[in-house]
Amino acid sequence: QVQLVESGGGLVQPGGSLRLSCAVSGYIVSIIRMGWYRQAPGKERELVARITTFGMTNYADSVKGRFTISRDNAKNTVDLQMNSLKPEDTAVYYCNVMGSMQPSLGYRDYWGQGTQVTVSS
């Protein structure tokens, strides 16, 4: 059983910062990619940022220059540093991992339970 446990969400004022963390536990042999998605009320889930095993990153245009994703391959953790937060960043943030317990059988997405980020004065 693979589990993704997120932490670090909360309430912050506009212009503030938060750091989200996600730890992957359980039997997972190989991870290709780790990332963060978010879903605001009434909207579809969207990519925020992701990072490959080799450190290649991509970000949503709306967060470029403000958010930074990082990962620790040895610990199977991925963090999202969020600076200069805006009210429109308010959403539930989900950790995502593409990995496999048996690579010869393929890879799949795993998801965390989500953590709420609210940006409001």
Side-chain angles (χ1 to χ4, degrees):
Q1 181 100 11
V2 176
Q3 286 189 315
L4 279 61
V5 179
E6 300 130 333
S7 60
L11 172 65
V12 64
Q13 292 187 343
S17 298
L18 281 175
R19 188 176 184 87
L20 304 182
S21 295
C22 174
V24 182
S25 63
Y27 184 71
I28 188 163
V29 173
S30 175
I31 294 176
I32 291 176
R33 188 178 67 227
M34 306 178 82
W36 291 92
Y37 287 70
R38 68 186 180 187
Q39 187 166 19
K43 294 187 177 182
E44 294 187 353
R45 190 174 296 189
E46 63 175 0
L47 172 69
V48 177
R50 59 189 181 189
I51 183 167
T52 70
T53 303
F54 301 104
M56 294 179 63
T57 59
N58 64 294
Y59 296 88
D61 288 343
S62 60
V63 307
K64 283 181 181 176
R66 300 188 297 123
F67 291 10
T68 302
I69 190 169
S70 60
R71 66 182 282 182
D72 186 324
N73 290 336
K75 296 180 179 179
N76 279 348
T77 59
V78 59
D79 292 347
L80 184 69
Q81 178 66 43
M82 305 185 294
N83 298 327
S84 302
L85 282 160
K86 304 175 181 180
E88 50 264 42
D89 294 317
T90 295
V92 178
Y93 284 69
Y94 296 91
C95 179
N96 168 262
V97 166
M98 175 168 280
S100 177
M101 291 186 284
Q102 192 168 347
S104 62
L105 298 182
Y107 287 75
R108 57 157 286 188
D109 282 307
Y110 296 90
W111 294 93
Q113 79 285 357
T115 185
Q116 177 70 45
V117 171
T118 302
V119 185
S120 175
S121 55

